[in-house]
Amino acid sequence: MPTVWFIIVAVMLTVYVVLDGFDLGAGVIYLLAARTHGERRAILRAIGPVWDGNEVWLIATGGTLYFAFPQLYAAGFSGFYLPLMMVLWLLMLRAIGIEFRTHIDNPVWQSLFDVIFFGSSALLTIFYGAALGNVIRGVPIAADGYFFEPLWTNFRVGTDNGILDWYTVLTGIVALVALTTHGALYIVTKTEGDLARRARGIVLRLWPVQLVLTFASLAATCGIRPEVLNNYYRYPVSTLIPLSVALALAIIFWRTRAGQEKRAFMASSAYIAAMMVGAVFALYPQVLPASTGDSRSLTIYNSAAAEHGLAVGLVWWIFGAVIAIGYFVFIYRMFRGKVQMDSEGY
């Protein structure tokens, strides 16, 4: 049962990164691709019906962690208290940037909210990438099962880690580039004209950077934590995961050059999903490795709730998941196609 819930949490987190990733990426290109008030309205209208719903998966993942892995929830939310507060403020500022722009018809205030939307979106992608880097690298868990990390120490990877070091900064940049490409592809699928052309240009310019950073991050991960390869050695079929990453990268470039933006966007979604699956597969059965020694690492066995509670909770989770999936299918089908600018609002 702990393995089942590990898979559930991994799937929910992957769905969140894929879905909220494109509207975060749209925020990153917001000031780069959109040159006029109308083009910025088009980007906001492209993500407007779905961006807040996408964030539900983040809340649901946190709630699932609280239920299924309470020790992980307690240790993680206390140890990462500072970055979690920063993420919370960035999420609020991002919502303010989107919503307040629609209520104040003044170019000065609208420019301010545009910058807030862009800045918070970019910083969130970096923080999410750095957070994943912290989990993969390991944190200094003490004997009592808890830890605390300062924002940074000496930027080296070791036992005295900070939240930011050279490795987590690298993973943050990887996330920034990957989600910016993802968001730009989404905007290409939803808009037309000069805005779509500029968004496509951003994808093509970032693709070589994404390619280099992807393989650099994989090499860095194997260098600082060689044990992440253990599961890959144990299950040779898992080599399909890195092959999927490479194939998805190739399809992104190929389909974007061919003007097949929908297929390129699906390939970008597959790339993100494969990267997430590869990370959680490498960690299993650990959920939070300890840089202070594997004996202190949190695993699915020493951090999970009682077996009976997990079994009962699975029934209710399935019920809720069916409702959530049905809602998202309905919303995305309702707002499919290119955005129309024949009326006011976002």
Side-chain angles (χ1 to χ4, degrees), residues 32-193:
L32 304 175
R35 305 286 177 80
T36 66
H37 174 70
E39 290 178 345
R40 291 178 182 176
R41 282 184 58 222
I43 290 182
L44 291 175
R45 181 166 286 195
I47 67 171
V50 297
W51 73 268
D52 49 354
N54 291 340
E55 291 184 352
V56 168
W57 288 99
L58 179 63
I59 300 171
T61 302
T64 303
L65 279 179
Y66 176 74
F67 163 75
F69 301 104
Q71 181 58 39
L72 170 63
Y73 182 90
F77 275 63
S78 62
F80 292 129
Y81 184 81
L82 175 60
L84 283 172
M85 289 299 102
M86 297 171 74
V87 166
L88 180 61
W89 275 101
L90 288 172
L91 287 170
M92 290 189 293
L93 286 173
R94 186 165 177 269
I96 288 172
I98 295 173
E99 297 293 342
F100 278 35
R101 191 185 199 277
T102 68
H103 296 294
I104 302 179
D105 188 16
N106 181 289
V108 175
W109 282 103
Q110 287 179 345
S111 297
L112 172 63
F113 293 131
D114 287 343
V115 172
I116 290 174
F117 175 48
F118 162 77
S120 57
S121 297
L123 288 174
L124 276 171
T125 63
I126 296 172
F127 267 76
Y128 287 154
L132 181 60
N134 271 267
V135 173
I136 295 173
R137 179 207 61 198
V139 296
I141 300 177
D144 61 359
Y146 292 88
F147 70 95
F148 172 76
E149 280 189 313
L151 193 57
W152 66 77
T153 54
N154 54 15
F155 275 87
R156 298 176 182 175
V157 176
T159 56
D160 185 26
N161 296 317
I163 293 165
L164 297 177
D165 56 33
W166 69 264
Y167 176 72
T168 58
V169 169
L170 174 62
T171 57
I173 295 174
V174 171
L176 172 64
V177 172
L179 296 184
T180 300
T181 301
H182 193 49
L185 284 169
Y186 180 76
I187 295 304
V188 174
T189 67
K190 299 294 289 184
T191 61
E192 298 174 317

Side-chain angles (χ1 to χ4, degrees), residues 184 188 195-205 256-257 259-261:
V188 174
L195 177 57
R197 178 181 54 80
R198 294 191 203 104
R200 184 181 292 107
I202 289 173
V203 175
L204 294 175
R205 285 192 292 271
T256 303
R257 285 288 301 270
Q260 298 173 331
E261 58 270 11

Side-chain angles (χ1 to χ4, degrees), residues 298-320:
L298 296 180
T299 69
I300 63 173
Y301 305 111
N302 63 15
S303 64
E307 190 83 9
H308 175 72
L310 294 178
V312 173
L314 181 61
V315 177
W316 288 102
W317 182 89
I318 293 173
F319 178 73

Side-chain angles (χ1 to χ4, degrees), residues 218 222 225-235 238 281-282:
L218 293 175
C222 297
R225 196 171 180 81
E227 52 268 37
V228 298
L229 296 175
N230 290 344
N231 284 341
Y232 288 90
Y233 293 141
R234 190 174 295 115
Y235 306 102
S238 61
F281 179 79

